[in-house]
Structures are given as C-alpha cells and as structure tokens.
Amino acid sequence: MKSIQRRFFRAFLLVILIAVGTEVVIVLRAVTDEIEQYDRLAGELEITRISHWLTGYFEIDDSWEGVQPYLDEMSALSGRRLVVTDAAGMVVADTATDASEARLDRSWPSRDLGYREDHEPVGRLYVSREQTILQRFRSRMVRSIRRALLLGSGVAIALALLASMLVARPLSRPIRELVSVAENVGHGDFGTRARVPRDAELATLARTLNAMMVDLETAARLRRNMVADIAHELRTPLTNIRGYLEARRDGVVTDEASTAIIESETALLVRLVDDLQELALAESDALRLERQQFDLRTVADEAVATSMPTASRNGLQLERRTGDDPIVINADPVRVAQVVTILLANATKHSPRGTSITVATAECSGFAEISVSDEGVGIPADELPHIFERFYRVDPSRSRQTGGSGLGLTIAKHLVEAHGGTIVASSEPGHGSCFTVRLPR
C-alpha cells in the first residue's frame, strides 16, 4: 500500500514538472521569436540603408561605374555578401568575386534601386543569407539563455522537491495518526482518542473519529451490559423453575403449590421475551404503525381505566387533567396507549401508598402533549440521562417483580420516536417525577 507521504511527494513532483516545463517552453519560445523578429527587422533596416546609399550614388554619377569599392566597404560593415545589378539584370558589382564571374542567387533578399518613385528601377541590390557576426552572437545568446533556463529549472525542481518533502511530512503525520487510531478501533480498542490537528479538514475528521469511537464504546458497553442483564433476568426465573421442579421430584412441595409458582415464573419469562422482541422491532425500524385519526384524550382515559385496579391495590389515586376541546392526532392508538400504560406502570411501581398519579393532556405549538406525573421518590439528577437505556434501574437492588425488567421506558422511547415525537423526563428527588410525551398533530 502506498503511503500518504509518497502520494504527496509524487503529486508535488508532477505539479512542479508541469509548471517548470511549461515556463521553460514559453520563455524559450518567446526569446527565440523576439530574436528572430529582431533579426528580420535589423535585416530590413540594413537593406534599406544600403539601398538608399546606392540610390544616392547612382543619382550623383548616373552610372554604376566605380561602385565596387564602396560596396566592399558596406559589405565589411554588414558582414554579408552584397551584389548589385543594373536595370537589365547584369551584375555590376559583387563583394565576393569579380562582377564578370559572379553567380547570382536571385532567391536572396533583394531591393529595387531607384531614385524616383515614378521611374523604372536603375538596378537591384541582393544580400546573401549567410550569417553575420551579429547573428552568430545572437544565436550564441539564445543557446546561453536555453542553458541558463534548463540549469535554473533543474535547481528549482530540486529545491521544490526538497520543500515538498518538508511540507508532505507534517501534512501526512496527522493522517498517519488518524489511520493508527482507526486501526486500533478495528482491533476493538475504543479507549484511544485522535489528536485534533490545526487544519480545519483534518480537525473535523479527528473530531468525527473521536465521536464515532465514543459511540462505538458506548454501544459495546451497552451490548455487554445487555447480554449480562438478559442472562441475569433469565437466570432468576429459570433457577426458580429448576428449584421447584427438583423439589417436586424430591416430594418437598406439593404439585399444586409448585405449579402455581412455575406458571408465575414462566409468565415472567414470556413477558421478558415479548419485551425483548418489541424492543428489537422498535430499534430496527421494523415496527409497523397503524395510523389513524383519534382523540388523544380518549386513549389517555382508556389507559387510566386499565391501570386503575393496580393503582387501587397499591393505595394510589389516579387523576385526569384535560381540556374541553378534543386533541385529534394522526398516530397508532394502540402504540400510544402502550406508551401511556408503560408510564403509568412505572409511576405505580415508584409511588408510595397514599399518593396520587396525574395524567394530563394538552395541545402546544402544533404538538399534542400527554404527561404522567407522580409524587414518588424521584430520580437523582445523575441518573436521568440513563433511564431510557435498556435494563437500567435507578435502584439496582430492586427485583424484576418490584422494579420491572428495565425495558419499559426504552420501549416507550422508541415507540414515541417512531411517531416523530419526543419523550423527556424531569424529576426532583423526594418530590416525584414527570414524563412528558410530545407527538406531532
């Protein structure tokens, strides 16, 4: 697997090569074009200067006789071979050889020689294509510029690669640290935390990874606790059933007494399995809701009526508080009634005799509210964030007969959230608790 630092280095190298190579090509092309244009303009200017001098010579002498020495002098100054022909095209002067032996290349740059625009040319000037000393100097200058550019580009690439190595190392270090933390998480170590770097993107990634590890650690802890709690909840009734079966086999207890106890313990097991199945459906979003329009007050009244016998046996008084107007919502009435029943059962278990439990319904900001408040022992502030967790009991010493399985509030929370609502708990130790459910209308 390729390292991040190596990838950074290769990316920097590619960018540097493209940038420097493009710059070298553009600069060399621009320098070459400028020098070629300069040579062309200089040549045109030189031919114009010589042609004007020769035209003036012919204007004074009215012939080309004696022009050879002057043409040789101009050739020496320009560094080129110059040839002059008369109006008939015959060579009259040549700086390289005798005019009678001259071989003229008429493809050379040339210029008509005429001292008046309205007259025919009196001759023609030809300039050879061979390089002058100045042109050779300019060619050498182009080669020097090319070598300097290539050398400078090599130095720039080397320095840039060195800088890229120095830059890539601190950039890749936090990424390697995050990879190391992620590998630890993959091996089940949720205790380590990633260091938050200063870069915004990497800092966001580190914080997200840390939050994920907290969630995974919480999920792992809850999973372990759930397995332990399920084993504990199953062990108690199964132990009782096994004990009474052994007692029956040994003749210690009568069949009628043991049968009733075994049936009671079996009912507890069935209830626990049903609660677990209900919770699994709710947590996997597989819970089906049969939505319909109904009055929330009616469901609250039915839940109160269902819980009234249990409350009476425990010496509790159930009270209803509601308005005159119906509170119509679109929800599953059976599931909503189940939530209210769970809250009432929870309040009944934790309320002392002689106190009252109040069920209130109201409408608030487009939401339907139903609350169950009691005058029980209350819930400590540090326990409130955990009361909706699976198998959680505020008092761990309570048995499942007196304290329940610890699944009721968890199931109620998932049922409410399945409707798009919220459930919150507030409590003051020694003065009771209040659970409030808000459901969208």
Side-chain angles (χ1 to χ4, degrees), residues 315-366:
L316 302 173
Q317 182 179 358
L318 290 183
E319 298 180 357
R320 281 281 289 117
R321 188 167 63 244
T322 184
D324 297 330
D325 297 329
I327 305 175
V328 180
I329 62 173
N330 183 24
D332 188 332
V334 176
R335 297 301 184 181
V336 174
Q338 184 179 356
V339 172
V340 180
T341 302
I342 291 174
L343 296 180
L344 285 171
N346 185 70
T348 301
K349 290 186 181 72
H350 297 85
S351 297
R353 300 180 67 87
T355 60
S356 62
I357 300 174
T358 302
V359 179
T361 53
E363 182 181 358
C364 180
S365 302

Side-chain angles (χ1 to χ4, degrees), residues 183-194:
E183 289 177 350
N184 292 337
V185 173
H187 293 111
D189 181 11
F190 304 119
T192 57
R193 295 292 181 268

Side-chain angles (χ1 to χ4, degrees), residues 215-236:
D215 293 340
L216 290 175
E217 186 176 14
T218 302
R221 176 176 56 82
L222 292 176
R223 184 177 64 253
R224 290 192 300 268
N225 292 344
M226 182 184 69
V227 173
D229 289 335
I230 291 176
H232 174 72
E233 297 297 333
L234 292 175
R235 184 182 296 112
T236 301

